[in-house]
Amino acid sequence: MTDERLKDASRLAIHTMTNKPWSLAQCVAGYAAAGVRAISVWRNVFESVSLADAARMLGDAGLAVPALVRGGFFPAGDAGERDKAIDDNKLCIDQARAIGAEMIVLVVGAVPGMMLAEARRQVEDGIAAVLPHAEASGVKLAIEPLHPMYAADRSCINRMADARVICERLGHPLVGIALDVYHVWWDPDLEAEIDLAGRQGTLLGFHVCDWRVETRDLLTDRGMMGEGCIDIRTIRRWVERTGFTGFHEVEIFSEHYWRQDQAVYVEQISQAYLEYC
Ligand code: ZN
């Protein structure tokens, strides 16, 4: 990788949740002002802006939209709840299509007390059930493995390999994986699984932030790139070695950064991206 390439921010995207205090309009304006050309949208923004207005805003700004976040949460104790989840994922796909998002990210879900293998089976069934809808819309479905600290209630898929198994079983070109360094940096098979995902054509998304060694909260204390212990640049090299040309999506949930001036924070993100990603 050349030095010029490392100084290139053209693949930088930011998740709206990173700037949680901002509305979608503020994110769009703030990212554009900082020269950020891509935005991944979290669905909570639709609480305060209509889908049509959001689509217009994003289109007018000329921002690329790698992902709408998030669908998933498929497993449930009863069939009625599972059907509701399928309906919600179809809605998510419709919303993604409306705003021109390439993929929806699936935080697949888990049910406390349910065997993880059973939950994974229900995830596979859920994705299979929404696939025709995704096909009709041309929206990709990216399974995001989550760190095992979330295995009880957020994700029964915790390693790249767990996501790969579902991709292989469904064998569909729209189903792939969103790799978030926060969740998988510790995986001893990470490099091999990235290579394999590259060969299988399933690497759809690449999310970056950092793992603070002194983590204060399991949900809302992610670090800025360079602030923790993840060798993001090496993981990026593994990802790009596969031919991946997608965006590098900054996704930081942090009570600390949500309290800062968000415009200054976006500038810090751009700098940290150039320095550590
Ligand atoms: Zn992520």
Side-chain angles (χ1 to χ4, degrees):
M1 199 177 289
T2 64
D3 285 336
E4 293 78 58
R5 196 159 165 213
L6 288 172
K7 292 290 176 205
D8 175 7
S10 64
R11 309 313 294 168
L12 167 62
I14 303 180
H15 280 231
T16 56
M17 191 56 87
T18 300
N19 299 98
K20 188 180 173 189
W22 270 356
S23 66
L24 181 63
Q26 286 173 305
C27 287
V28 166
Y31 299 170
V36 177
R37 299 181 201 169
I39 179 172
S40 284
V41 176
W42 276 63
R43 294 172 81 192
N44 67 309
V45 304
F46 300 136
E47 290 162 13
S48 48
V49 65
S50 74
L51 197 53
D53 285 345
R56 194 174 317 116
M57 221 181 275
L58 293 161
D60 287 350
L63 288 167
V65 186
L68 177 65
V69 195
R70 60 198 185 191
F73 290 96
F74 293 107
D78 71 87
E81 289 297 316
R82 289 195 291 277
D83 287 345
K84 255 194 244 171
I86 286 165
D87 288 343
D88 183 60
N89 278 274
K90 289 180 180 169
L91 173 64
C92 188
I93 289 166
D94 292 341
Q95 292 168 332
R97 182 169 70 168
I99 63 168
E102 181 187 338
M103 73 189 93
I104 65 170
V105 172
L106 301 178
V107 172
V108 297
V111 178
M114 181 187 286
M115 292 292 286
L116 292 174
E118 168 61 16
R120 286 193 283 268
R121 196 187 61 72
Q122 293 189 10
V123 168
E124 183 185 327
D125 288 350
I127 296 175
V130 301
L131 251 177
H133 202 75
E135 250 173 23
S137 308
V139 172
K140 295 175 185 167
L141 308 175
I143 301 167
E144 179 171 41
L146 258 56
H147 190 281
M149 68 182 171
Y150 301 120
D153 58 354
R154 287 176 193 270
S155 182
C156 58
I157 292 182
N158 309 107
R159 302 173 304 161
M160 292 283 288
D162 302 330
R164 171 173 53 80
V165 167
I166 297 210
C167 291
E168 287 172 347
R169 288 175 58 90
L170 292 170
H172 193 286
L174 288 179
V175 181
I177 302 170
L179 183 171
D180 187 325
V181 299
Y182 187 75
H183 296 300
V184 297
W185 66 274
W186 55 273
D187 185 346
D189 297 324
L190 184 57
E191 183 179 5
E193 288 292 338
I194 289 172
D195 282 346
L196 194 45
R199 285 203 295 281
Q200 295 182 334
T202 52
L203 199 50
L204 302 183
F206 180 50
H207 302 178
V208 297
C209 66
D210 213 336
W211 181 280
R212 286 173 38 81
V213 176
E214 306 286 339
T215 292
R216 295 163 293 199
D217 187 279
L218 298 187
L219 273 181
T220 58
D221 195 29
R222 294 190 183 203
M224 174 85 80
M225 300 79 74
E227 214 175 29
C229 61
I230 305 179
D231 184 347
I232 303 169
R233 195 164 278 181
T234 294
I235 299 174
R236 171 181 170 176
R237 187 162 47 77
W238 294 341
V239 164
E240 296 196 332
R241 199 169 60 191
T242 70
F244 178 86
T245 55
F247 288 97
H248 310 135
E249 305 171 44
V250 174
E251 184 188 32
I252 305 171
F253 315 137
S254 166
E255 292 291 350
H256 169 72
Y257 285 111
W258 289 333
R259 285 194 295 266
Q260 313 299 316
D261 179 305
Q262 296 299 294
V264 172
Y265 176 35
V266 168
E267 285 298 336
Q268 291 172 335
I269 288 170
S270 297
Q271 289 305 314
Y273 170 77
L274 291 174
E275 196 160 344
Y276 297 104
C277 295

